[in-house]
Amino acid sequence: MSEGGPGEPPGRSDGSEGDADVPGEWLRELHDHLAATAELPVETAASRYLGEAEAVVADALGEETPDDVVERRVEQARKLLGHVDGTGDETADQHVAAAKRLARELDEYQC
């Protein structure tokens, strides 16, 4: 599977369809973006929401995690990310924007 370009979820850039692990790839990428913000100097309020969202997504990453649990965790992460308007760090803001897009894509994919 190919990586998407900036702001594009993985698997979409080559036009291929039918990859059974698309949601798994998006979920891992979502977690990676959230984890990346932990290494950056973000504002305290944003950091709390981002840390909680990262933990929620990490809980959904297990191979044996039931689909309904994954769906709930993605929805929780999306709601938590909705509280983050800015982080005070440009790179973190880019990770947050990508995480928000991925969370929306996962919600739409699972519907």
Side-chain angles (χ1 to χ4, degrees), residues 34-56:
L34 294 169
T37 66
E39 304 297 321
L40 299 169
V42 302
E43 296 171 356
T44 302
S47 179
R48 289 184 186 128
Y49 288 114
L50 293 169
E52 185 65 25
E54 180 185 355
V56 165

Side-chain angles (χ1 to χ4, degrees), residues 12 72-73 80 88 97 99:
R12 293 280 176 110
R72 281 197 310 267
R73 296 299 181 256
L80 287 163

Side-chain angles (χ1 to χ4, degrees), residues 18-100:
D19 190 335
D21 197 34
V22 167
E25 291 295 319
W26 290 354
L27 194 61
R28 282 185 286 282
E29 187 173 343
L30 172 58
H31 182 266
D32 290 348
H33 281 294
L34 294 169
T37 66
E39 304 297 321
L40 299 169
V42 302
E43 296 171 356
T44 302
S47 179
R48 289 184 186 128
Y49 288 114
L50 293 169
E52 185 65 25
E54 180 185 355
V56 165
V57 172
D59 185 50
L61 281 173
E63 289 186 28
E64 302 297 320
T65 307
D67 290 344
D68 63 320
V69 173
V70 172
E71 289 176 23
R72 281 197 310 267
R73 296 299 181 256
V74 169
E75 176 65 17
Q76 289 171 322
R78 193 180 62 74
K79 287 180 180 179
L80 287 163
L81 287 168
H83 292 283
V84 180
D85 293 323
T87 65
D89 181 84
E90 185 177 332
T91 301
D93 287 344
Q94 291 171 355
H95 283 293
V96 170
K100 285 179 178 183

Side-chain angles (χ1 to χ4, degrees), residues 91-110:
T91 301
D93 287 344
Q94 291 171 355
H95 283 293
V96 170
K100 285 179 178 183
R101 282 190 299 274
L102 285 161
R104 276 194 312 271
E105 289 283 334
L106 280 161
D107 269 350
E108 291 170 8
Y109 188 90
Q110 294 169 354

